[in-house]
Amino acid sequence: MANLLEKASIVLTPTGYSDSSINNVKPSSAPFGDMTLIQNGTTTRVNASGLVVDNLTDIPRIDYSKGEGAILSEVASTNQIRYSEDFSNVLWQKVGVALTSSTGTNPRGESATIYAIQGQASQGGLEGAMASSSTGNGVGVSIWARKKSGGGTTNVEIGFGNSSSVTSTTVSVGSDWQRIKYESVNGVSADRFYIDAEGISSDNIIEIWGAQMEKTASGGQDGRVSSYMPTTSGTATRARDNYLNGGDSTLIGAQEGVLFIEAAVLADAGSRAIALSAANSAANRVVIFYSSASNTIQGRVQASTTTTIPINGTVTDSTDFNKIAFKYKSGDVALWINGTEVATSATSYTFNAALSELALDQGNGTLHMDGFIKQLIVFKEALSDAELAALTS
């Protein structure tokens, strides 16, 4: 693998960054080919210690939510739940649940008021109304939870609903803070967040922090859970992470090469992409898409506007890290996933403009990446099958 990386023209890992840019490991001299980051507003991330921390504007987010450091690139979203950490507020309904508070350490590592809930004999739970309800949008709900005392685990019911019903799942939590979530399948009608501790004994008290409820921008999509957006009296919106203007025509193969990523999306819903393009245009580009079809990866060459070469493969779970390489060469196009060549094309093409930009979108500033990137590598030449197998294994 080390010898293979010597062939690479661009190597990007979550190791180097500065204000407004993510810095490539390679090249180490000009042109560096670093991508610019535009991210206006407040964001959060999970650090290497597992704590939720604030992130400075336009500083790339190196996030450890999946256990390993990765570049977090997200589309815009809004937390529709108000008072996300203050469950004593009247906007939180306590129906068949007892709410108490004490001083403890929250998931930021700070000493603060921590709220706990215990189920009661009557049915119900802790419910928070959305500021703007969902009418056909996908919905994702999340919260940090832990068992208040004692060994073992306890069950927590988390979900969403409206005035007539609740849709939920049951999650087992232990004594350490963990973020639990539930995401809708397709669009739903929902206007409230719901959580409850199963059982009514003193052994089933759970502490909670950081409630979030998001809805997708488009109808009919599956729900998604993104990075935490704290709220008080109003909603909170996070702007899109916009990574663009990376690469250089001297670092990208004019007519052949390989684009490789090790990445995971936040949700198996909607189209997301990473691309090499000519001057931020779809007329000439090489793209790896996370397709709108479930767990489908597409490699696509668009050449001189007139020639389009799409080839598809599948992964077991697109929200897990997968290694994907897309080889582009006229008459020899191939898609490799996790050590296997899954699709090829013998179609000929010619770019009529130099590929000059690397961006976390589909090459024209749309369909931005929404997930985690552990590695991104560009080769200026088409690699052999043995090299592609080694790269993606």
Side-chain angles (χ1 to χ4, degrees):
M1 184 67 173
N3 291 336
L4 185 55
L5 291 181
E6 290 179 5
K7 290 187 173 184
S9 56
I10 297 174
V11 177
L12 176 62
T13 62
T15 54
Y17 53 90
S18 55
D19 189 14
S20 301
S21 70
I22 184 81
N23 303 326
N24 295 325
V25 175
K26 186 180 180 181
S28 58
S29 59
F32 295 103
D34 299 336
M35 275 189 289
T36 298
L37 168 63
I38 301 172
Q39 210 295 316
N40 297 312
T42 302
T43 60
T44 65
R45 65 184 180 93
V46 175
N47 68 14
S49 300
L51 300 176
V52 178
V53 295
D54 291 327
N55 204 71
L56 298 175
T57 299
D58 291 343
I59 296 293
R61 289 187 288 166
I62 310 304
D63 188 277
Y64 290 79
S65 295
K66 298 182 77 67
E68 302 174 78
I71 300 162
L72 177 57
S73 175
E74 295 179 306
V75 298
S77 191
T78 297
N79 186 358
Q80 298 288 344
I81 295 298
R82 293 151 291 182
Y83 296 100
S84 63
E85 299 167 24
D86 182 6
F87 303 103
S88 66
N89 189 273
V90 295
L91 288 179
W92 284 97
Q93 284 188 294
K94 295 82 177 174
V95 181
V97 67
L99 180 75
T100 57
S101 66
S102 60
T103 300
T105 303
N106 66 21
R108 289 186 180 272
E110 303 166 337
S111 178
T113 298
I114 304 295
Y115 292 92
I117 57 174
Q118 180 181 7
Q120 302 295 289
S122 58
Q123 290 186 340
L126 183 67
E127 303 174 5
M130 296 177 71
S132 174
S133 61
S134 169
T135 55
N137 309 83
V139 168
V141 297
S142 61
I143 198 167
W144 275 262
R146 68 180 179 186
K147 186 176 181 180
K148 184 171 184 180
S149 61
T153 61
T154 192
N155 288 335
V156 180
E157 188 180 1
I158 180 173
F160 53 86
N162 53 35
S163 59
S164 60
S165 64
V166 170
T167 301
S168 63
T169 189
T170 299
V171 182
S172 181
V173 300
S175 58
D176 294 328
W177 285 116
Q178 66 186 80
R179 194 183 192 190
I180 61 175
K181 63 181 182 178
Y182 187 52
E183 297 157 323
S184 71
V185 177
N186 300 319
V188 295
S189 294
D191 58 19
R192 57 179 173 164
F193 177 107
Y194 174 86
I195 187 168
D196 194 16
E198 291 196 347
I200 62 174
S201 74
S202 60
D203 198 40
N204 289 77
I205 301 175
I206 60 164
E207 294 184 316
I208 52 176
W209 181 89
Q212 186 154 299
M213 190 167 188
E214 306 166 73
K215 62 180 183 178
T216 59
S218 302
Q221 293 183 342
D222 292 351
R224 62 186 281 278
V225 169
S226 68
S227 60
Y228 178 52
M229 295 167 277
T231 65
T232 52
S233 59
T235 62
T237 297
R238 181 193 61 249
R240 179 187 73 221
D241 297 289
N242 191 14
Y243 285 94
L244 71 166
N245 294 330
D248 183 87
S249 59
T250 64
L251 301 173
I252 303 172
Q255 298 295 334
E256 68 173 72
V258 172
L259 174 60
F260 166 81
I261 60 172
E262 184 177 3
V265 288
L266 262 70
D268 181 29
S271 295
R272 304 298 173 205
I274 296 173
L276 306 170
S277 66
N280 191 33
S281 167
N284 292 276
R285 58 179 175 162
V286 172
V287 193
I288 294 176
F289 283 102
Y290 285 85
S291 173
S292 57
S294 181
N295 293 318
T296 298
I297 307 298
Q298 181 181 98
R300 183 186 300 178
V301 173
Q302 185 89 34
S304 309
T305 304
T306 57
T307 304
T308 302
I309 308 169
I311 54 176
N312 296 335
T314 59
V315 295
T316 301
D317 186 350
S318 62
T319 65
D320 287 339
F321 283 114
N322 291 282
K323 295 181 179 181
I324 304 162
F326 184 45
K327 176 180 70 173
Y328 64 98
K329 182 178 181 180
S330 182
D332 183 15
V333 176
L335 180 65
W336 285 73
I337 300 175
N338 297 330
T340 301
E341 184 180 65
V342 298
T344 62
S345 173
T347 303
S348 298
Y349 68 85
T350 301
F351 294 123
N352 65 358
L355 302 181
S356 58
E357 180 177 332
L358 167 65
L360 302 190
D361 58 43
Q362 68 165 336
N364 65 353
T366 62
L367 300 186
H368 294 81
M369 180 62 179
D370 189 38
F372 302 88
I373 300 164
K374 196 189 300 185
Q375 297 184 79
L376 193 162
I377 305 174
V378 176
F379 297 85
K380 293 178 63 176
E381 61 186 277
L383 301 178
S384 68
D385 286 356
E387 290 171 324
L388 288 164
L391 182 64
T392 57
S393 294

